[in-house]
Amino acid sequence: MASMALPPSTASQLQAFVKAQFLTKPIPPPLSTCLAGQTVIVTGSNTGIGLAAVDSLLKCHASHIIMASRSVENGETAAAPLRKQYPDAHIEVWQLDMLSYESIQGFAKSCSNLPRLDKVILNAGVAMGDFVINERTGHEATFQVNYLSTALLAILLLPILGSRRQAHGPGRITIVASGLALVSQFANRNASPLIPSFDDPTGWGTAASLERYGLTKTLVLMLVQKLSENVDPSEVIVNAIEPGLVGGSGLQQHAPAYLRAIFRFVHIIAARSTEQGAWAYVDAVAVKGQESHGGLVLNWNIHPFHPMMYEPSGKQVTERLWEETIQELRFADAQGIINSMCKGD
């Protein structure tokens, strides 16, 4: 629980942005970072930071990369030049639709057949500009992909990472968060039950869509906290990464035109490159050790979570969200998996 062991941050949103984008020098992985023989999964890896992360992992000599993509065709297009550049690596493209519980379960089942699995970067995410219900689950799409589906995939992969890890150390799951996770308002935090409140379209608009994206990433921080409480870091290290503002991520593609124009301007003057964002991913999943378990890695250091999470009411929300998440994912025996991973078992 690395981040919860720190005091809450008192920096303003502007101060945090300036520190991240102008005062922090991106650090590439140390030359000693060697992933030879290791199998690594990166979701949402056919474009943006996910694709750059695959390249960075291959530069660190990863032997087997699984690029998870909603579109196998797009994934194969992205993988083709990498296969030419790294002919000694085994690069596969697997289909994964984060809007479908069935697709996620099928993906995890395929992972269970791997001879080894060392590291996972859960990068896939969306930022919907409009309120859209995912017909396959009945939940709002941003909430579905960024939180519920991410939680399911993380839980399903835990025992695989634990059992397929090799003598080099524990398995690793790094989940991509966002700086917006630290400033969300979480207006529905007192709703009971909590999960259905994310499917209410009341008040949805441009500002609400940005808040929803940040809020789903706050929920990711809560997920990382709860997973870290239940998983022995000698088996699997679980952390979150905030790569900073990165150009070319594609997250604003659903935003209104005027907002995309604003984002483009900000990106020109402040954004990190996708390669630098990928460096942050590799740092979290391969360089940081057990000290990062249950932590948010930001600016290459462990950073506090959302201030609300330190308050009694925020801790209660974290517990309620966890309980409802486990109930939502009961079809996949989420509780049984967590019980099997509990520390000391």
Side-chain angles (χ1 to χ4, degrees):
M1 297 186 292
S3 286
M4 289 300 290
L6 299 174
S9 174
T10 58
S12 69
Q13 189 173 358
L14 178 60
Q15 288 173 325
F17 180 81
V18 170
K19 179 179 180 180
Q21 304 304 133
F22 298 105
L23 303 180
T24 299
K25 181 179 179 180
I27 304 171
L31 294 177
S32 59
T33 307
C34 182
L35 306 180
Q38 296 192 32
T39 297
V40 186
I41 293 172
V42 184
T43 68
S45 52
N46 64 290
T47 188
I49 314 176
L51 179 58
V54 172
D55 184 68
S56 288
L57 291 163
L58 290 166
K59 283 184 171 69
C60 294
H61 312 289
S63 297
H64 185 189
I65 296 283
I66 296 170
M67 300 173 62
S69 174
R70 186 177 183 181
S71 166
V72 173
E73 181 180 1
N74 291 343
E76 290 290 352
T77 299
L82 294 172
R83 291 183 177 127
K84 291 181 180 179
Q85 187 175 356
Y86 303 97
D88 294 332
H90 181 34
I91 303 172
E92 294 188 90
V93 176
W94 289 10
Q95 200 274 340
L96 174 63
D97 184 355
M98 293 292 282
L99 287 169
S100 166
Y101 285 146
E102 292 78 11
S103 178
I104 294 166
Q105 288 178 290
F107 181 87
K109 184 176 181 180
S110 296
C111 291
S112 69
N113 295 321
L114 292 167
R116 69 180 289 175
L117 179 58
D118 302 274
K119 294 175 172 60
V120 175
I121 299 175
L122 298 185
N123 165 72
V126 296
M128 301 298 293
D130 298 313
F131 181 87
V132 177
I133 287 290
N134 175 30
E135 294 182 357
R136 283 173 282 186
T137 64
H139 295 298
E140 189 274 319
T142 304
F143 174 61
Q144 179 67 63
V145 171
N146 295 356
Y147 179 69
L148 285 176
S149 292
T150 295
L152 174 61
L153 184 55
I155 290 171
L156 291 175
L157 292 179
L158 281 173
I160 302 171
L161 280 160
S163 62
R164 300 295 190 277
R165 66 189 179 92
Q166 303 296 316
H168 70 275
R172 306 292 297 263
I173 294 184
T174 291
I175 307 178
V176 176
S178 166
L180 294 176
L182 302 175
V183 296
S184 68
Q185 298 302 304
F186 207 159
N188 59 322
R189 70 179 70 174
N190 293 323
S192 183
L194 184 58
I195 284 180
S197 70
F198 289 96
D199 304 324
D200 184 351
T202 303
W204 190 270
T206 300
S209 67
L210 289 174
E211 162 66 14
R212 172 56 56 91
Y213 175 76
L215 177 51
T216 58
K217 295 301 187 175
T218 303
L219 305 184
V220 163
L221 299 184
M222 293 179 169
L223 172 66
V224 167
Q225 179 191 338
K226 292 304 299 181
L227 290 176
S228 71
E229 291 176 1
N230 287 280
V231 177
D232 190 330
S234 67
E235 297 285 331
V236 181
I237 296 171
V238 183
N239 60 28
I241 177 63
E242 204 296 84
L245 179 66
V246 176
S249 67
L251 278 174
Q252 293 84 36
Q253 61 182 319
H254 298 294
Y258 79 91
L259 199 54
R260 293 199 302 272
I262 294 173
F263 280 127
R264 281 196 296 270
F265 175 74
V266 174
H267 283 176
I268 289 171
I269 64 173
R272 293 171 179 165
S273 68
T274 52
E275 181 184 40
Q276 291 169 338
W279 290 349
Y281 281 19
V282 176
D283 176 70
V285 83
V287 179
K288 292 289 188 290
Q290 292 190 21
E291 77 282 356
S292 71
H293 187 60
L296 168 65
V297 183
L298 186 155
N299 299 330
W300 282 262
N301 291 297
I302 308 301
H303 190 276
F305 284 151
H306 192 300
M308 173 205 62
M309 293 174 62
Y310 297 82
E311 302 168 357
S313 60
K315 293 179 180 179
Q316 292 175 2
V317 173
T318 299
E319 293 300 324
R320 192 163 76 254
L321 175 68
W322 176 251
E323 292 170 1
E324 292 188 28
T325 301
I326 293 298
Q327 180 65 17
E328 167 78 13
L329 305 179
R330 62 190 181 280
F331 64 89
D333 192 27
Q335 186 63 69
I337 294 172
I338 292 299
N339 290 345
S340 73
M341 298 296 299
C342 277
K343 298 176 182 179
D345 288 0

